[in-house]
C-alpha cells in the first residue's frame, strides 16, 4: 500500500506537471514567476511577480494569448521592464504552453550575460520552471543555458552576429532582445533569419521584438512599430481625469511637458496637456493603475500589435532622475543621443548623430539681466575671416561647460587691410559687465586661418600670442 506521504507527493508532482492552459501570460507570471534577488535593486521587489508594479506590461504580455496576434513589437526605453517581459514569455511557454523557443540577443556576450544573470536565476528560483527544466535550486545554480530540452518543447539561445545559431531547428516562439542593435551578417538580416524558423508553425507562431530605438537610418524596431497597431499607454490626469500620453514635449508647441525650477532637477513635475495643472511624481502610481493602451493607428488591419512607452512612465525611475540626466546631456550630442534613445524611447535624428529640435530651441531663449549673465565665469571668442569682413562671437562659460552667447559683432572691410585687424583687436580688448558690476575680459580667441587671408590671420595671431589669440582651421571631418 502506498503511504499517505508518497501519495501526496505523487499528487503534488502531477499537479505541478499539468499546465494551467486557461492562464494568460500575466496571470501565469503572478502565480509562478519568482523574481530573483540579484535581478532587483530594491529587495522589496524580489519574490513572486507583481503585475500591479508595472500595470502597463500586462496587456503587452497577454497580447500573445489573443488569437490572431502572431507578432508583438515593444518599442521602449530602459527602466520599464522590457527584459522581464521576455523572461515572463519564455517562462510561460516553458511551463504553461510548451513550445520550441528561440531567444536572440545582440551578440555572444549579451547572450551569455542574459543567460547567466537573468534566465538561469529565474529558472532556479521559480519552482514550476525548475521542475520542468530539471534545474537544481541551489543559490549558485547560474550556469549558462544555451540549449535545453524540456517536457513538450525546447529552448535555444542565439545572437544576431552568428548565422549558425539563428539557422537552427524550426521554432514556434521567437523573442529578439534589443533588436535595433542587430547587424547584418554575410547570410543576411538576422531578424529575417530568425523569423524564417517559424514558418512551419503557421498561425501558431509567436514573434516578439523588444528594443530600445536607436538610429533613424538603421532602426529595425521603428518600421515594425509603424506598421502595427501603434499603441500608446494613455493615463488620466489626477486633476481633470483627461486621458493622455506622457510625452517629453508638446508636439504642437515644442515646450517640455516635464518642467523644473532652474538648476533644480529635483523639483521636476509634469504639466497636464489639457488643464495645465501640475502633476507630481507621487501621482504617477494612480495614473499607471488607471491607464489603458489605445491604438493610434486604428485603420491597421494586420496581425502585429505594437506598443511604445518611455521612462516617463517608469516606477523604477523618477522625473527628477530624467531632468538631471537631460541637464547633464543636453550640450553633448553623444550623451544626448543616449538620453533620447534610452530614456525617451525615440530615434536619434540623423547620420551625424546631432539632432536639433528647433521647436524647443526657441523656448530656451533667455533675457540676460546684464551684458553678461551672473553665472558666466570666463569669456572666449572666435573670429571668422570672410573676404569682405571679420565676424566675431563672444561666448560666456559657466560650470559644467554651460555656455551663453554674449555678443556677435561684424567689422566690415577687407582682411587684407591692417585697419580691419586693428579694429578687431580693440573690440576683443574691451570689458564686459554682469549685473553686479564685475568686469570680465576675453581670455582666449580662436582666429580662422582658412580662406584667402591666411597670412594676415597668422600674422595677427603671432602679434597677439601673449593675449592667447590662437590660429585655427576648420575641418569637414568630425573630431578634427
Amino acid at each position: 500500500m502506498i503511504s499517505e506521504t508518497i501519495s501526496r507527493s505523487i499528487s503534488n508532482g502531477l499537479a505541478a506537471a499539468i499546465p494551467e492552459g486557461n492562464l494568460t501570460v500575466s496571470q501565469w507570471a503572478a502565480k509562478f514567476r519568482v523574481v530573483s534577488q540579484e535581478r532587483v535593486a530594491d529587495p522589496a521587489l524580489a519574490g513572486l511577480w507583481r503585475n500591479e508594479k508595472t500595470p502597463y506590461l500586462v496587456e503587452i504580455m497577454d497580447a500573445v494569448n489573443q488569437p490572431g496576434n502572431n507578432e508583438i513589437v515593444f518599442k521602449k526605453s530602459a527602466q520599464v521592464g522590457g527584459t522581464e517581459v521576455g523572461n515572463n514569455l519564455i517562462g510561460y511557454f516553458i511551463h504553461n504552453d510548451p513550445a520550441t523557443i528561440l531567444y536572440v540577443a545582440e551578440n555572444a556576450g549579451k547572450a551569455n550575460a542574459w543567460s547567466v544573470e537573468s534566465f538561469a536565476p529565474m529558472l532556479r528560483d521559480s519552482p514550476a520552471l525548475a521542475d520542468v527544466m530539471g534545474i537544481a535550486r541551489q543559490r549558485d545554480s547560474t550556469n549558462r543555458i544555451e540549449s535545453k530540452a524540456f517536457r513538450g518543447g525546447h529552448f535555444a539561445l542565439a545572437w544576431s552576429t552568428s548565422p549558425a545559431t539563428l539557422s537552427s531547428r524550426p521554432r514556434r516562439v521567437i523573442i529578439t532582445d534589443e533588436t535595433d542593435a542587430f547587424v547584418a551578417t554575410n547570410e543576411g538580416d538576422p531578424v529575417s533569419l530568425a523569423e524564417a524558423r517559424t514558418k512551419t508553425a503557421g498561425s501558431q507562431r509567436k514573434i516578439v521584438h523588444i528594443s530600445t530605438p536607436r538610429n533613424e537610418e538603421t532602426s529595425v524596431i521603428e518600421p515594425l512599430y509603424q506598421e502595427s497597431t501603434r499603441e500608446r499607454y494613455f493615463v488620466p490626469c489626477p486633476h481633470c481625469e483627461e486621458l493622455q500620453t506622457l510625452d517629453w514635449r508638446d508636439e504642437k508647441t515644442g515646450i517640455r511637458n516635464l518642467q523644473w525650477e532652474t538648476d533644480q532637477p529635483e523639483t521636476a513635475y509634469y504639466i497636464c496637456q489639457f488643464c495645465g495643472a501640475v502633476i507630481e511624481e507621487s501621482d504617477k502610481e494612480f495614473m499607471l493603475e488607471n491607464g489603458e493602451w489605445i491604438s493610434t493607428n486604428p485603420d491597421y488591419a494586420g496581425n502585429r500589435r505594437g506598443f511604445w512607452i518611455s521612462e516617463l512612465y517608469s516606477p523604477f525611475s523618477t522625473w527628477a532622475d530624467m531632468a538631471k540626466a537631460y541637464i547633464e546631456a543636453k550640450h553633448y550630442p553623444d550623451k544626448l543621443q543616449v538620453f533620447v534613445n534610452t530614456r525617451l524611447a525615440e530615434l536619434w535624428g540623423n547620420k551625424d548623430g546631432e539632432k536639433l529640435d528647433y521647436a524647443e530651441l526657441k523656448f530656451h531663449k533667455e533675457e540676460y539681466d546684464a551684458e553678461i549673465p551672473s553665472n558666466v565665469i570666463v569669456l572666449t571668442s572666435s573670429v571668422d575671416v570672410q573676404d569682405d569682413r571679420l565676424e566675431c562671437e563672444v561666448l560666456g562659460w559657466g560650470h559644467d561647460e554651460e555656455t551663453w552667447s554674449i555678443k556677435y559683432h561684424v567689422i566690415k572691410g577687407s582682411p587684407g587691410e591692417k585697419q580691419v585687424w586693428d579694429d578687431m583687436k580693440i573690440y576683443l580688448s574691451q570689458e564686459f559687465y554682469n549685473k553686479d558690476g564685475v568686469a570680465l575680459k576675453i581670455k582666449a580667441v580662436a582666429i580662422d586661418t582658412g580662406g584667402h587671408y591666411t597670412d594676415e590671420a597668422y600674422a595677427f595671431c603671432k602679434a597677439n600670442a601673449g593675449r592667447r589669440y590662437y590660429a585655427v582651421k576648420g575641418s569637414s571631418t568630425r573630431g578634427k
Side-chain angles (χ1 to χ4, degrees):
M1 177 178 289
I2 300 176
S3 70
E4 182 179 347
T5 301
I6 295 175
S7 178
R8 187 184 306 114
S9 297
I10 293 174
S11 297
N12 291 340
L14 288 172
I18 299 173
E20 299 191 37
N22 60 333
L23 294 179
T24 65
V25 175
S26 67
Q27 291 170 341
W28 175 89
K31 189 169 184 177
F32 295 105
R33 164 74 197 281
V34 175
V35 179
S36 304
Q37 184 73 50
E38 61 262 49
R39 289 292 299 157
V40 293
D42 181 359
L45 296 176
L48 203 59
W49 175 268
R50 291 182 292 152
N51 287 312
E52 59 270 22
K53 186 64 178 180
T54 51
Y56 52 82
L57 295 181
V58 171
E59 183 68 19
I60 300 173
M61 292 187 288
D62 291 350
V64 303
N65 298 113
Q66 297 164 357
N69 288 338
N70 298 120
E71 191 170 353
I72 310 298
V73 175
F74 188 18
K75 175 187 169 188
K76 51 83 183 180
S77 69
Q79 298 294 319
V80 294
T83 298
E84 299 309 322
V85 168
N87 290 343
N88 286 343
L89 289 173
I90 292 173
Y92 173 86
F93 283 112
I94 288 174
H95 177 247
N96 203 67
D97 184 11
T100 49
I101 308 163
L102 182 67
Y103 172 88
V104 187
E106 175 185 350
N107 53 47
K110 293 292 179 64
N112 181 68
W114 174 82
S115 181
V116 172
E117 299 170 10
S118 185
F119 187 45
M122 177 181 73
L123 300 182
R124 178 199 67 205
D125 294 337
S126 302
L129 295 177
D131 288 341
V132 173
M133 295 287 278
I135 301 296
R137 299 186 195 175
Q138 290 82 9
R139 292 301 303 172
D140 60 351
S141 179
T142 54
N143 295 324
R144 170 172 168 164
I145 300 172
E146 189 169 322
S147 179
K148 180 76 173 177
F150 56 89
R151 208 167 35 236
H154 184 274
F155 170 83
L157 183 63
W159 46 97
S160 70
T161 55
S162 171
T165 63
L166 296 171
S167 303
S168 60
R169 68 190 71 178
R171 298 285 154 180
R172 181 161 75 89
V173 177
I174 301 286
I175 298 174
T176 69
D177 193 8
E178 287 307 324
T179 321
D180 257 19
F182 290 9
V183 294
T185 68
N186 57 1
E187 294 191 24
D189 168 39
V191 172
S192 298
L193 286 173
E195 290 181 345
R197 301 299 96 206
T198 67
K199 287 182 179 179
T200 58
S203 62
Q204 297 301 308
R205 73 186 188 279
K206 299 294 179 181
I207 301 171
V208 182
H209 299 297
I210 303 171
S211 186
T212 298
R214 297 197 180 187
N215 193 286
E216 186 175 56
E217 295 188 340
T218 60
S219 179
V220 176
I221 202 75
E222 183 64 22
L224 291 174
Y225 176 74
Q226 289 300 322
E227 190 58 33
S228 75
T229 53
R230 294 207 299 263
E231 297 174 50
R232 295 165 69 92
Y233 199 62
F234 283 72
V235 293
C237 168
H239 305 286
C240 70
E241 299 186 351
E242 288 285 349
L243 288 175
Q244 59 198 283
T245 55
L246 297 182
D247 299 309
W248 182 250
R249 64 179 66 84
D250 185 281
E251 289 186 3
K252 295 180 180 179
T253 67
I255 298 176
R256 274 187 289 102
N257 292 318
L258 193 69
Q259 296 287 326
W260 55 87
E261 301 299 325
T262 304
D263 297 327
Q264 298 180 59
E266 67 276 7
T267 65
Y269 54 90
Y270 194 86
I271 299 296
C272 174
Q273 298 169 30
F274 291 93
C275 68
V278 170
I279 302 175
E280 301 290 353
E281 178 76 31
S282 57
D283 295 317
K284 189 191 291 185
E285 183 176 357
F286 161 81
M287 298 168 76
L288 294 181
E289 288 176 352
N290 294 279
E292 60 182 280
W293 287 101
I294 298 177
S295 172
T296 61
N297 190 17
D299 295 330
Y300 176 74
N303 59 1
R304 178 188 295 152
R305 289 191 68 181
F307 302 89
W308 173 93
I309 204 164
S310 79
E311 193 176 317
L312 285 167
Y313 293 86
S314 175
F316 312 113
S317 173
T318 67
W319 291 336
D321 292 334
M322 295 191 70
K324 183 175 184 292
Y326 175 71
I327 291 171
E328 293 174 349
K330 64 180 181 178
H331 295 304
Y332 307 94
D334 292 340
K335 291 183 179 180
L336 187 58
Q337 178 178 0
V338 174
F339 179 86
V340 169
N341 291 159
T342 65
R343 291 182 183 265
L344 302 187
E346 295 178 2
L347 291 171
W348 186 244
N350 58 49
K351 64 181 180 180
D352 295 322
E354 295 192 36
K355 180 181 180 181
L356 290 177
D357 190 322
Y358 294 102
E360 184 176 346
L361 198 59
K362 65 183 179 182
F363 293 101
H364 284 285
K365 183 175 69 175
E366 61 180 289
E367 297 293 334
Y368 299 163
D369 53 10
E371 195 172 23
I372 56 175
S374 299
N375 290 334
V376 171
I377 301 171
V378 175
L379 296 178
T380 64
S381 181
S382 58
V383 178
D384 183 36
V385 180
Q386 298 293 324
D387 287 347
D388 60 349
R389 66 194 184 280
L390 299 178
E391 297 191 11
C392 165
E393 182 179 19
V394 179
L395 291 177
W397 297 80
H399 290 293
D400 298 321
E401 299 186 25
E402 186 170 6
T403 59
W404 293 262
S405 180
I406 305 302
K407 295 278 187 175
Y408 198 89
H409 185 67
V410 177
I411 295 177
K412 295 183 178 180
S414 171
E417 299 176 3
K418 182 176 180 298
Q419 186 60 49
V420 172
W421 292 99
D422 289 343
D423 291 346
M424 178 57 71
K425 180 179 178 179
I426 292 172
Y427 182 80
L428 296 172
S429 300
Q430 68 177 300
E431 294 180 335
F432 298 83
Y433 295 86
N434 65 20
K435 68 176 183 179
D436 297 321
V438 176
L440 294 180
K441 301 190 74 169
I442 296 171
K443 292 294 186 181
V445 181
I447 309 291
D448 171 32
T449 59
H452 300 136
Y453 295 95
T454 300
D455 292 342
E456 288 81 357
Y458 274 118
F460 184 69
C461 291
K462 184 176 181 180
N464 294 280
R467 298 174 181 266
R468 298 189 182 90
Y469 288 10
Y470 301 106
V472 299
K473 187 174 182 179
S475 171
S476 59
T477 302
R478 188 178 180 187
K480 294 186 177 180

